[in-house]
Amino acid sequence: MSRETFTSPAGYPKPAVLCRLLRMRNKSGEAAAVTSERISIPVPAGGALAGTLCGPNDGVPRAAVVIHPATAVAERLYTGFSEYLAENGCAVLTYDYRGTGASGSPKANRGIRMRDWMIQDVPAAADWMAERFPDVPHLAVGHSIGGHAMALNNGTDGLLGFVAIASHAGVTKAIADPKERLRVGLVLRVLGPLTGRLLGVVPGRKMGLGEDMPGGAMLEWSRWSRLPNYFFDDPSLQASERAARVKTEVLSIGFSDDLWATPGQINAIYGRLPNAAVERRTYTPGDAGVPAIGHMGFFRRGAKDKLWPEVLIWIDGRIAKQS
């Protein structure tokens, strides 16, 4: 595992609830160490986020953590990791972006863009969590675009820090593996935009992207993937100005076998946070004791014994600094 450190610290927000409590049980039928609550979070721009709040079964959490998902990745990928954090005393929110998973159909949300997930959905989830747990430290974990959102200063108010997992500039030309570059280019430049324009929906499952997604999000992703500096080259997003406002601690984690999130493409995002204290780590499958990690493997249970504790230790370090 390799590490690098860059540079500084951060401040806090609020909405409403719709929930039912599910007490989780282990295989023997006994009450488990965590509770799980289904929730609905209104988004001020319209619509709602469907999610799950996990927490320790024995009372008030010692911290609150939001897990902001990757593009076209269902909330269920994050269940194991959220339960792990809950077992260690954290309240943890997972959810689907609008137009994906349980948060509305892609067709009904066909006009939603990637920036809407980052600028509207991520802050809505963060604000809900801040209102629900006003008296505990707040942190966040962002997977891929979930990390992008916070790197552009969305959902960061009041955070002690955030962890960015496999979060990188999605520039197609930067993919070193020729087969993967060809596959991704075909999806992002041809098939995705074509179906997005014709149907308003991109069949992500059939294309090997994950979940189906709104056409608007695919069209914006496709456009950014052609720009040398990804969304930093989109003047309408003002990405550099947004990134300069991030003033919290950041742990950016990559994996040696991730064909997309290479060190260079991670640095294309997290090397552009001039006022944040950024620590970067790269883990190998050997570090995790698994044959492969790739872009999704950190959140699979095979990484639980070796990699999940690393993030928990980092989270505990931010909490200890505050106290």
Side-chain angles (χ1 to χ4, degrees), residues 18-99:
L18 232 177
C19 40
R20 75 190 161 83
L21 185 65
L22 300 165
R23 195 162 298 277
M24 301 179 64
R25 297 189 171 270
N26 59 27
K27 289 179 182 174
S28 64
E30 300 168 347
V34 303
T35 59
S36 176
E37 180 182 335
R38 286 298 290 168
I39 59 167
S40 178
I41 301 172
V43 178
L49 308 175
T52 304
L53 180 66
C54 254
N57 205 11
D58 58 357
V60 181
R62 64 192 182 90
V65 179
V66 181
I67 300 178
H68 301 293
T71 300
V73 174
E75 180 194 5
R76 63 181 174 272
L77 176 68
Y78 308 104
T79 300
F81 184 59
S82 69
E83 289 175 359
Y84 171 80
L85 293 179
E87 287 165 4
N88 285 278
C90 299
V92 188
L93 173 64
T94 57
Y95 67 96
D96 291 313
Y97 295 126
R98 285 174 299 160

Side-chain angles (χ1 to χ4, degrees), residues 151-152 231-234 237-245 272 274:
L152 297 183
F231 50 52
F232 284 100
D233 284 341
D234 182 345
L237 195 61
Q238 299 181 313
S240 293
E241 293 87 340
R242 291 173 180 272
R245 296 185 199 121
R272 301 183 72 145

Side-chain angles (χ1 to χ4, degrees), residues 35-290:
T35 59
S36 176
E37 180 182 335
R38 286 298 290 168
I39 59 167
S40 178
I41 301 172
V43 178
L49 308 175
T52 304
L53 180 66
C54 254
N57 205 11
D58 58 357
V60 181
R62 64 192 182 90
V65 179
V66 181
I67 300 178
H68 301 293
T71 300
V73 174
E75 180 194 5
R76 63 181 174 272
L77 176 68
Y78 308 104
T79 300
F81 184 59
S82 69
E83 289 175 359
Y84 171 80
L85 293 179
E87 287 165 4
N88 285 278
C90 299
V92 188
L93 173 64
T94 57
Y95 67 96
D96 291 313
Y97 295 126
R98 285 174 299 160
T100 67
S103 295
S105 75
K107 197 157 194 175
N109 292 277
R110 62 194 299 159
I112 285 181
R113 304 162 296 174
M114 278 194 145
R115 73 181 65 203
D116 299 324
W117 290 338
M118 292 194 288
I119 296 170
Q120 298 170 2
D121 294 17
V122 164
D127 289 355
W128 185 90
M129 201 64 159
E131 183 177 81
R132 181 71 177 258
F133 299 101
D135 301 320
V136 301
H138 282 253
L139 299 105
V141 175
H143 184 200
S144 202
I145 190 179
H148 294 168
M150 293 185 287
L152 297 183
N153 202 38
N154 299 295
T156 56
D157 288 351
L159 291 186
L160 297 185
F162 68 84
V163 183
I165 305 288
S167 184
H168 63 107
V171 180
T172 306
K173 281 184 179 177
I175 298 173
D177 183 274
K179 286 185 180 176
E180 185 66 4
R181 186 169 62 247
L182 182 63
R183 186 186 78 82
V184 172
L186 181 64
V187 171
L188 290 187
R189 298 189 178 202
V190 183
L191 300 177
L194 183 64
T195 56
R197 284 194 180 93
L198 290 177
L199 307 176
V201 177
V202 176
R205 292 176 198 168
K206 292 181 180 176
M207 292 183 186
L209 276 179
E211 296 294 301
D212 297 349
M213 61 188 289
M218 170 52 75
L219 292 173
E220 187 158 63
W221 189 11
S222 174
R223 188 162 59 84
W224 287 345
S225 74
R226 302 167 192 243
L227 302 175
N229 297 297
Y230 203 51
F231 50 52
F232 284 100
D233 284 341
D234 182 345
S236 70
L237 195 61
Q238 299 181 313
S240 293
E241 293 87 340
R242 291 173 180 272
R245 296 185 199 121
V246 178
K247 296 178 181 177
T248 190
E249 294 191 58
V250 180
L251 173 61
S252 173
I253 295 177
F255 308 101
S256 62
D257 63 338
D258 188 336
L259 298 179
W260 295 9
T262 61
Q265 287 299 282
I266 290 173
N267 189 52
I269 303 290
Y270 296 93
R272 301 183 72 145
L273 306 184
N275 299 307
V278 180
E279 177 187 349
R280 287 221 309 275
R281 300 181 189 175
T282 301
Y283 292 100
T284 68
D287 294 328
V290 295

Side-chain angles (χ1 to χ4, degrees), residues 296-317:
M296 305 289 184
F298 172 86
F299 293 100
R300 297 194 173 110
R301 293 178 194 268
K304 179 177 181 177
D305 293 339
K306 299 285 183 71
L307 296 189
W308 293 1
E310 295 279 318
V311 171
L312 181 62
I313 289 167
W314 190 88
I315 286 172
D316 285 343

